[in-house]
Amino acid sequence: MKKRWLLAAAVSSALLVLTACGSSDDTSESQGPVKENACENATINFIGLEGEEGKVELEDWREERGTKLVSSWPGDWAQLIAAIKVGQPFELSTIPYHWAQRMIAAEVVQPIDTSRLTNWDKVASGLAESPSLRGEDGEIYGVPIAWGDAPYIYAPDRVSNPPKSITDLLDPSWKGRFVLFDAPDSPFYLLAKAHGFDESPLLTQEQLDVVVADAAKLVDNAAAFQSNYQDANDRLINKDVDLAVGGWEAQVAWAEEKGVTLDFGFFDEGRHGWWDGLAIPSTSENVDCAYEYIDQMISTEVQAELATNLVSGAVNTDAFDLVEGDAQSYDYSVVTGGANSDDFASSTPPEEVADGYMNYQDWLDAWQKIKS
Amino acid sequence: MRNPMATRSTRALARAYLIAVLAFLFAPLVVVVLFSFHSVPRMSLPFEGFSLRWYDEVLHDPVVIDAMMRSATAAVLTGLLSGILGLSIALALVGARQRVRAATMVAALIPLTFPSLLYAIGLAICYHYFDVGYSLKATIGGHVIIALPFVFIVLSASLDRFRFSLLEAAFDLGASPWLAFRKITLPLILPAVIGATVLAMALSTDEFVVAFFTAGQEKTLPLLLYARINQGLDPSLNAIGTILLVATTGLAWLSAVRTAKES
Amino acid sequence: MRPSVRTLQMAPATLYYVALFLIPLLMLAVYSFYSVESFEPVPKLTLDNYVEAATSDVFRGFYLRTLRVALTVALIVTLISFPFAFVLNYVLPARKHVVYFMVLVSLFGGYIVRVYAWRNIMGREGVVNQTLLGLGVVDRPVTLFLNSELAVIVALVNYLIPFGILPIYAAMQNVPVGQVEAAQDLGGSRWLAARRVVLPLTSQGCVAAFAISFIATSAEWVTPQLLGGTGDQLIGNQIQHQFGGGLNWPLGAALALTMVVLVVALLGLAYAVIRRWLR
């Protein structure tokens, strides 16, 4: 009996040592020469938001090449990162702006050589030059395919006076009537602006303390956290809440399909931009095909169709005039360095900040504290 | 069979209690089934009329069919595997010394004390490390671990009250261990075995976290449901749930009939 | 000859446990002592994760709330399940197979879809509110049900009752009806029979029911997220967050293992109390 235990202990400790050694050499191999038509008869495993992988828009393109697209959405971003981290192979993934820095830091995505994308030059400058696409090494890790400006969504039949400021929601009359994302990003950013902290999202410790005090009231007043846009819409449609702080214009169209009228608005504190992009996961087994596919996704025709279908902003400047339907309502000056380009601000501080400022981890820690 | 120990009024009270608990248990299921027939893509009252459109949609969706087949495979294999493993270990404990029994019991129940999230990630790291890859088979491997403690609880509770005297009498009469098992042990514990297996199948059918981290591209039904819920709720999800319910009800009914016959 | 048969019987399950349970968990346990450098777990062993799990105010709040909710859920589940199994076995045995079967069936149907169904029941326009309005009990919809700890507890109790009934029912199968009747013939009331005969003989089933519910709740994160309010998240949400958004697997592992220790300690205590009470 004793011997067997010793054996088991020996085996398991050997395994542990192996794990410890093995876990660090996971980085991707250097790439060989670029392969032409890499998507021919290939399978693209995509992890991310269905609808943002060109399922409809690139159907013919894939058919011509015999390319198979397998999409999966793990449920949330945390799970997406975990799925890549434990080694599941994916050729493509969604990279959303508010998770981009984390995904880059976690090394679940690889740098993108934009010279391999023939359509990269057409990407609106406000997006292409955004630091949020880039890692600390200055490399680009995500190619935006859609963007928006984060309105709030509300039910006009139950909200006769849409809020002007985010601070309106601190009022007891809003108790239990709205949802927000379980993240400090938008609330901290907007509350800081409301206090006149113009450098937001760069905040000092004292400023953050002021913001956190308000945010605690905001969270307490909120009915619940929304898991995603759809979840917020379901709650609005069921009349369980009257307003969702983190929104997307497309929600109005989704609700309309279900016979419910919703509307969107912006707080006076300003808008803050978001973009969703495509990235190449570190576990990609066909990088060349991923490049080809991403290049297609930002082409003029596909962008016009995609923006129309998603009710989001197009990223390809040539596509702006080709967008149809509700998606025409976007103000493109926001992403082309025009009058409202300040509005396309990032709502979160970087992971690394200058002395005296609070970084994103500090924001997250403060947020956890509010919830406990 | 009338039970002499119950008076009329206690029986009425008892019946009311059972009905109340069952009503509570089935409340969410009734809602799931009801809205699966809703004619509009909305899952809230008022109810606007019946339609089979969501069933039509779901049953013509090859992705859903694939996921259903995978979930069924996982359930059956998990049930069989954990049933066999659980039974063999429960049998090993028959007549074992108290210390051995207690130690085994504790060891067998340890997995229950671990959040499935934790286990799922450990398992995924393990599969990755040993290059096993992610597949339905990998998920089933984890589902058996999730199901085993439950199987073991049900089986050992049954064996705990096992009348060893019968078994000893059989041995005294010269019966082989196999014969004794077949003629005495098995008939006595069969209801528990079937119950345990069905429980394991239920756990596998509904299991989400382990499947998420280990199934790779071979998505089971819960994975598909969760992914689709996050892309917009419509009654087709309820239709999937209802189909699952009907299929598993048939299964449970079969096993219940067997159990009733044996006892 | 018998010991070797026993070893043979134990071997497959034991091997299975070692390969697919012990080794994965050992790997994770090692992770809980790792450090994190730029979001990557690195094999620099440290106790910091446990220190943080044990001392941080943030986590203490989540632990306490989780233990309170888990205790509530486990108690309610056990208190509903025992009488249910008892009635089924000894008071109304005629229909017991049908009812047992119904309990089994209620286990199926998709956990996540069921969680969502509670929104349709407890929401502002939900079934409960429509009924209350229809009966004139309230004159405007009650919004307290959804997005609250109550909603989380109700949904979890609902989900876990079958897991509570099964082990108790299974344990009762082995209490001879004769013994219960004998206790009655000797002049005991039904409850005395239940207390003196059935309860001690099925205590393992009750403990199993309690433990299963307690543990399941202690790691729960989907239900609080979908049905709870902003102040109702549990430690499971934190653990899940560390494995995902927090990108701190070692801390997540340490948080989870700390929770496991807490749960085991509490269950051990509860078991000791129950044992003493039944004696």
Side-chain angles (χ1 to χ4, degrees):
Chain A
M1 196 68 191
K2 225 172 191 173
K3 259 186 197 158
R4 224 175 305 154
W5 274 110
L6 278 176
L7 187 68
V11 169
S12 37
S13 45
L15 284 169
L16 294 179
V17 173
L18 284 173
T19 333
C21 304
S23 60
S24 52
D25 54 28
D26 256 7
T27 42
S28 56
E29 305 290 309
S30 64
Q31 294 151 14
V34 177
K35 213 170 99 200
E36 295 289 327
N37 297 324
C39 289
E40 209 124 322
N41 299 317
T43 298
I44 299 175
N45 289 305
F46 166 81
I47 183 165
L49 296 172
E50 285 175 43
E52 295 195 4
E53 81 286 50
K55 188 173 189 145
V56 184
E57 295 81 3
L58 282 178
E59 199 170 2
D60 295 342
W61 186 87
R62 288 195 306 270
E63 207 155 289
E64 278 168 30
R65 287 161 183 75
T67 313
K68 206 177 147 217
L69 177 73
V70 182
S71 303
S72 59
W73 164 239
D76 60 51
W77 300 109
Q79 304 267 38
L80 182 143
I81 290 181
I84 299 174
K85 278 205 100 161
V86 297
Q88 293 187 27
F90 297 102
E91 277 60 58
L92 274 181
S93 81
T94 302
I95 182 167
Y97 90 105
H98 65 297
W99 280 87
Q101 290 304 313
R102 302 238 127 180
M103 287 174 73
I104 295 166
E107 293 175 7
V108 296
V109 290
Q110 41 184 299
I112 289 172
D113 175 6
T114 50
S115 69
R116 291 181 62 181
L117 301 172
T118 58
N119 291 308
W120 176 255
D121 295 340
K122 295 178 191 159
V123 174
S125 58
L127 289 163
E129 287 159 19
S130 167
S132 57
L133 312 177
R134 290 168 169 78
E136 278 173 53
D137 52 6
E139 301 264 14
I140 287 175
Y141 286 83
V143 176
I145 55 130
W147 64 272
D149 43 13
Y152 61 79
I153 307 291
Y154 66 101
D157 58 332
R158 304 192 292 281
V159 180
S160 44
N161 282 318
K164 295 208 165 17
S165 161
I166 180 116
T167 53
D168 292 355
L169 299 181
L170 302 177
D171 191 83
S173 65
W174 276 97
K175 173 82 185 163
R177 290 178 60 201
F178 64 94
V179 284
L180 69 169
F181 277 109
D182 185 2
D185 310 23
S186 185
F188 280 15
Y189 174 80
L190 293 172
L191 287 168
K193 286 268 181 186
H195 276 282
F197 304 150
D198 288 335
E199 279 189 295
S200 176
L202 285 177
L203 299 175
T204 63
Q205 175 78 63
E206 293 74 35
Q207 289 174 330
L208 185 65
D209 289 344
V210 173
V211 167
V212 165
D214 271 357
K217 278 185 241 159
L218 187 75
V219 167
D220 188 48
N221 243 13
F225 293 119
Q226 60 186 79
S227 310
N228 48 59
Y229 297 121
Q230 281 291 356
D231 180 40
N233 244 37
D234 293 326
R235 294 173 191 262
L236 283 160
I237 290 170
N238 284 349
K239 300 188 186 172
D240 283 321
V241 293
D242 303 334
L243 183 141
V245 173
W248 178 5
E249 286 85 343
Q251 285 175 258
V252 176
W254 300 339
E256 213 170 271
E257 281 169 25
K258 302 192 177 184
V260 175
T261 305
L262 297 179
D263 207 348
F264 65 88
F266 295 95
F267 295 118
D268 288 347
E269 287 81 21
R271 312 174 191 201
H272 53 85
W274 62 265
W275 52 264
D276 281 350
L278 287 175
I280 307 178
S282 51
T283 56
S284 175
E285 289 172 351
N286 190 346
V287 173
D288 296 324
C289 175
Y291 270 105
E292 266 183 55
Y293 200 84
I294 292 174
D295 199 24
Q296 284 303 310
M297 285 292 286
I298 54 173
S299 70
T300 309
E301 303 74 36
V302 173
Q303 270 298 306
E305 210 182 324
L306 190 71
T308 305
N309 293 344
L310 290 176
V311 195
S312 62
V315 304
N316 183 317
T317 45
D318 291 349
F320 292 172
D321 295 332
L322 305 174
V323 174
E324 292 164 28
D326 292 331
Q328 285 172 313
S329 63
Y330 282 85
D331 175 1
Y332 280 100
S333 70
V334 167
V335 288
T336 50
N340 290 325
S341 58
D342 278 354
D343 274 354
F344 200 74
S346 168
S347 60
T348 56
E351 303 285 351
E352 302 288 335
V353 287
D355 275 352
Y357 288 111
M358 310 307 284
N359 66 17
Y360 190 47
Q361 188 61 47
D362 297 324
W363 281 35
L364 287 175
D365 291 345
W367 186 253
Q368 296 305 336
K369 178 113 196 175
I370 289 172
K371 291 192 297 172
S372 72
Chain B
M1 181 185 85
R2 260 184 177 272
N3 192 329
M5 68 185 266
T7 65
R8 218 191 173 90
S9 63
T10 30
R11 284 166 58 90
L13 200 68
R15 191 171 294 120
Y17 181 72
L18 289 193
I19 291 170
V21 174
L22 284 176
F24 174 62
L25 280 184
F26 279 90
L29 292 176
V30 168
V31 171
V32 171
V33 174
L34 181 71
F35 282 109
S36 75
F37 293 107
H38 207 183
S39 58
V40 296
R42 188 164 50 72
M43 280 163 58
S44 54
L45 295 169
F47 198 82
E48 303 202 3
F50 283 89
S51 155
L52 288 173
R53 60 185 281 201
W54 307 111
Y55 287 90
D56 192 53
E57 194 173 283
V58 161
L59 291 174
H60 287 95
D61 185 342
V63 178
V64 174
I65 304 291
D66 281 354
M68 277 181 184
M69 291 312 292
R70 286 192 206 106
S71 277
T73 312
V76 170
L77 289 179
T78 304
L80 280 178
L81 216 61
S82 58
I84 291 167
L85 291 177
L87 184 61
S88 90
I89 203 145
L91 283 175
L93 293 185
V94 171
R97 269 171 306 164
Q98 187 55 37
R99 265 208 2 238
V100 178
R101 290 164 59 93
T104 315
M105 189 79 183
V106 169
L109 296 188
I110 284 176
L112 276 178
T113 59
F114 282 86
S116 52
L117 181 68
L118 186 78
Y119 172 60
I121 291 180
L123 192 63
I125 294 172
C126 214
Y127 282 142
H128 180 52
Y129 184 77
F130 293 106
D131 231 1
V132 179
Y134 302 109
S135 65
L136 190 63
K137 272 181 266 170
T139 301
I140 295 169
H143 279 184
V144 172
I145 292 287
I146 301 258
L148 253 179
F150 292 92
V151 170
F152 185 73
I153 286 172
V154 173
L155 289 181
S156 64
S158 160
L159 283 170
D160 234 24
R161 302 286 145 215
F162 190 77
R163 269 153 284 166
F164 299 110
S165 49
L166 276 178
L167 209 58
E168 267 154 33
F171 282 126
D172 288 347
L173 292 173
S176 71
W178 172 240
L179 189 73
F181 171 73
R182 214 158 43 93
K183 291 284 177 196
I184 298 172
T185 316
L186 192 62
L188 279 174
I189 61 170
L190 197 63
V193 173
I194 291 172
T197 309
V198 172
L199 187 60
M201 292 175 72
L203 288 162
S204 165
T205 311
D206 238 15
E207 207 286 329
F208 170 73
V209 185
V210 169
F212 171 75
F213 281 100
T214 59
Q217 297 301 318
E218 299 184 351
K219 268 190 189 169
T220 59
L221 215 46
L223 294 183
L224 186 73
L225 277 174
Y226 188 60
R228 291 216 167 163
I229 276 171
N230 280 350
Q231 287 161 19
L233 226 43
D234 71 39
S236 66
L237 301 171
N238 296 42
I240 297 175
T242 307
I243 293 168
L244 202 66
L245 188 67
V246 170
T248 47
T249 305
L251 191 82
W253 182 72
L254 277 178
S255 78
V257 168
R258 285 292 311 262
T259 318
K261 264 189 195 151
E262 298 291 342
S263 59
Chain C
M1 182 192 160
R2 289 198 64 187
S4 74
V5 169
R6 182 169 301 152
T7 314
L8 221 63
Q9 284 171 327
M10 299 273 268
T14 312
L15 283 177
Y16 198 97
Y17 258 90
V18 171
L20 281 162
F21 180 70
L22 229 50
I23 292 178
L25 278 181
L26 278 174
M27 284 182 160
L28 209 67
V30 169
Y31 253 74
S32 73
F33 294 102
Y34 271 29
S35 317
V36 171
E37 282 172 10
S38 61
F39 304 109
E40 198 70 53
V42 289
K44 280 187 194 158
L45 302 187
T46 170
L47 280 171
D48 288 357
N49 301 313
Y50 285 97
V51 171
E52 191 174 347
T55 57
S56 146
D57 295 346
V58 173
F59 297 134
R60 189 173 315 128
F62 282 108
Y63 277 125
L64 288 176
R65 186 188 295 148
T66 305
L67 291 178
R68 189 184 69 226
V69 171
L71 193 69
T72 313
V73 168
L75 269 177
I76 297 175
V77 167
T78 314
L79 289 177
I80 291 180
S81 300
F82 182 82
F84 191 95
F86 183 82
V87 164
L88 208 54
N89 263 294
Y90 304 114
V91 185
L92 298 167
R95 304 234 175 95
K96 78 176 184 183
H97 293 301
V98 179
V99 177
Y100 182 66
F101 161 70
M102 287 176 78
V103 171
L104 278 182
V105 164
S106 75
L107 274 172
F108 301 94
Y111 166 56
I112 288 167
V113 180
R114 280 170 57 160
V115 172
Y116 266 86
W118 283 107
R119 288 200 184 166
N120 298 120
I121 297 173
M122 296 195 273
R124 183 142 89 187
E125 304 266 294
V127 178
V128 171
N129 264 322
Q130 298 290 333
T131 312
L132 290 179
L133 285 170
L135 293 174
V137 179
V138 294
D139 52 5
R140 66 164 80 172
V142 181
T143 51
L144 289 174
F145 300 137
L146 201 60
N147 305 322
S148 67
E149 192 170 297
L150 177 75
V152 176
I153 289 173
V154 167
L156 284 174
V157 166
N158 177 273
Y159 175 65
L160 291 168
I161 281 179
F163 292 96
I165 292 175
L166 291 182
I168 300 176
Y169 180 82
M172 280 179 184
Q173 295 310 295
N174 300 295
V175 181
V177 176
Q179 231 172 18
V180 183
E181 281 169 5
Q184 279 220 300
D185 291 345
L186 291 172
S189 73
R190 190 166 307 100
W191 278 113
L192 202 64
R195 167 77 176 78
R196 293 267 179 233
V197 181
V198 182
L199 200 53
L201 287 173
T202 57
S203 64
Q204 269 199 2
C206 292
V207 169
F210 184 89
I212 291 171
S213 323
F214 193 90
I215 291 161
T217 308
S218 76
E220 181 58 48
W221 55 276
V222 176
T223 309
Q225 185 184 323
L226 295 179
L227 298 178
T230 50
D232 301 319
Q233 291 193 348
L234 303 180
I235 192 71
N237 298 82
Q238 283 297 309
I239 296 170
Q240 196 256 352
H241 171 77
Q242 296 305 334
F243 279 110
L247 287 181
N248 195 336
W249 288 23
L251 179 58
L255 282 176
L257 290 171
T258 306
M259 187 68 211
V260 167
V261 171
L262 276 176
V263 165
V264 170
L266 267 170
L267 284 178
L269 196 72
Y271 188 62
V273 169
I274 291 172
R275 286 279 293 259
R276 169 158 294 193
W277 181 63
L278 286 176
R279 225 163 247 166

